[in-house]
Amino acid sequence: MLSWQAYSRAIDVYTQLLDDSTYRLTPSQRTAAQLGLANAYQRVGDNAKAERTMRQWSETSRPETVEPRPLLLFAQTLANNGKFAEAQQQY
Protein backbone atom coordinates (compact mmCIF):
# COMPACT_ATOMS: atom_id res chain seq x y z
CA MET A 1 0.00 0.00 0.00
CA LEU A 2 2.79 2.39 0.83
CA SER A 3 4.43 1.94 -2.56
CA TRP A 4 1.18 2.85 -4.37
CA GLN A 5 0.97 6.01 -2.33
CA ALA A 6 4.61 6.84 -2.96
CA TYR A 7 4.25 6.38 -6.72
CA SER A 8 1.02 8.38 -6.71
CA ARG A 9 2.83 11.21 -4.94
CA ALA A 10 5.73 10.94 -7.40
CA ILE A 11 3.28 11.26 -10.29
CA ASP A 12 1.89 14.44 -8.75
CA VAL A 13 5.35 15.94 -8.20
CA TYR A 14 6.72 15.04 -11.65
CA THR A 15 3.56 16.31 -13.34
CA GLN A 16 3.80 19.60 -11.49
CA LEU A 17 7.47 19.97 -12.41
CA LEU A 18 6.81 19.32 -16.08
CA ASP A 19 3.65 21.41 -16.39
CA ASP A 20 4.59 24.48 -14.35
CA SER A 21 6.61 26.94 -16.42
CA THR A 22 7.99 28.65 -13.30
CA TYR A 23 10.33 25.67 -12.93
CA ARG A 24 13.00 26.33 -15.50
CA LEU A 25 14.23 22.80 -16.04
CA THR A 26 17.39 22.12 -17.97
CA PRO A 27 17.09 19.55 -20.74
CA SER A 28 18.67 16.88 -18.54
CA GLN A 29 16.33 17.74 -15.65
CA ARG A 30 13.32 17.57 -17.99
CA THR A 31 14.49 14.18 -19.27
CA ALA A 32 14.91 12.88 -15.73
CA ALA A 33 11.43 14.12 -14.77
CA GLN A 34 9.83 12.57 -17.88
CA LEU A 35 11.50 9.22 -17.24
CA GLY A 36 10.59 9.33 -13.55
CA LEU A 37 6.97 10.08 -14.44
CA ALA A 38 6.83 7.26 -16.99
CA ASN A 39 8.34 4.84 -14.49
CA ALA A 40 5.84 5.86 -11.80
CA TYR A 41 2.93 5.42 -14.23
CA GLN A 42 4.23 1.98 -15.17
CA ARG A 43 4.60 0.99 -11.48
CA VAL A 44 0.97 1.84 -10.73
CA GLY A 45 -0.18 -0.03 -13.84
CA ASP A 46 -1.17 2.98 -15.96
CA ASN A 47 0.62 1.85 -19.10
CA ALA A 48 -1.32 4.18 -21.41
CA LYS A 49 0.02 7.24 -19.59
CA ALA A 50 3.46 5.65 -19.31
CA GLU A 51 3.50 5.20 -23.08
CA ARG A 52 2.34 8.77 -23.71
CA THR A 53 5.06 10.12 -21.42
CA MET A 54 7.72 7.92 -23.03
CA ARG A 55 6.66 9.10 -26.49
CA GLN A 56 7.04 12.71 -25.37
CA TRP A 57 10.47 11.85 -24.02
CA SER A 58 11.52 10.05 -27.22
CA GLU A 59 10.42 12.98 -29.40
CA THR A 60 12.64 15.40 -27.50
CA SER A 61 15.66 13.19 -26.77
CA ARG A 62 18.71 12.99 -28.97
CA PRO A 63 19.47 9.41 -30.04
CA GLU A 64 23.20 9.73 -29.39
CA THR A 65 22.62 10.63 -25.72
CA VAL A 66 20.00 8.02 -24.86
CA GLU A 67 20.89 5.46 -22.21
CA PRO A 68 19.78 1.82 -22.69
CA ARG A 69 17.52 1.69 -19.59
CA PRO A 70 14.93 4.24 -20.84
CA LEU A 71 14.72 2.43 -24.18
CA LEU A 72 14.05 -0.81 -22.33
CA LEU A 73 11.35 0.91 -20.26
CA PHE A 74 9.77 2.24 -23.47
CA ALA A 75 9.89 -1.19 -25.12
CA GLN A 76 8.34 -2.85 -22.05
CA THR A 77 5.60 -0.24 -21.94
CA LEU A 78 4.78 -0.76 -25.61
CA ALA A 79 4.70 -4.54 -25.12
CA ASN A 80 2.42 -4.14 -22.10
CA ASN A 81 0.08 -2.15 -24.34
CA GLY A 82 0.07 -4.89 -26.99
CA LYS A 83 2.22 -2.98 -29.47
CA PHE A 84 4.67 -5.81 -30.01
CA ALA A 85 6.07 -4.80 -33.41
CA GLU A 86 6.84 -1.30 -32.19
CA ALA A 87 8.29 -2.68 -28.95
CA GLN A 88 10.58 -4.95 -30.94
CA GLN A 89 11.98 -1.92 -32.79
CA GLN A 90 12.94 -0.38 -29.44
CA TYR A 91 14.77 -3.53 -28.34
Side-chain angles (χ1 to χ4, degrees):
M1 184 75 170
L2 180 60
S3 65
W4 282 87
Q5 291 172 343
Y7 286 116
S8 178
R9 179 69 182 128
I11 288 168
D12 292 341
V13 171
Y14 284 128
T15 301
Q16 183 180 4
L17 278 171
L18 291 166
D19 291 346
D20 192 339
S21 62
T22 60
Y23 298 108
R24 295 195 174 127
L25 301 177
T26 65
S28 63
Q29 289 171 327
R30 178 164 292 284
T31 294
Q34 287 173 319
L35 294 175
L37 179 59
N39 184 50
Y41 279 137
Q42 189 179 47
R43 297 293 181 146
V44 298
D46 195 340
N47 288 310
K49 287 184 181 176
E51 179 182 340
R52 185 189 72 215
T53 304
M54 289 301 297
R55 283 193 191 284
Q56 291 170 349
W57 164 78
S58 70
E59 290 169 0
T60 59
S61 63
R62 294 187 323 242
E64 66 274 4
T65 63
V66 174
E67 297 287 326
R69 174 104 174 95
L71 292 176
L72 177 61
L73 176 66
F74 191 23
Q76 290 170 337
T77 302
L78 290 167
N80 288 339
N81 290 341
K83 299 177 180 178
F84 301 110
E86 193 175 353
Q88 190 174 19
Q89 291 174 353
Q90 296 301 319
Y91 284 116

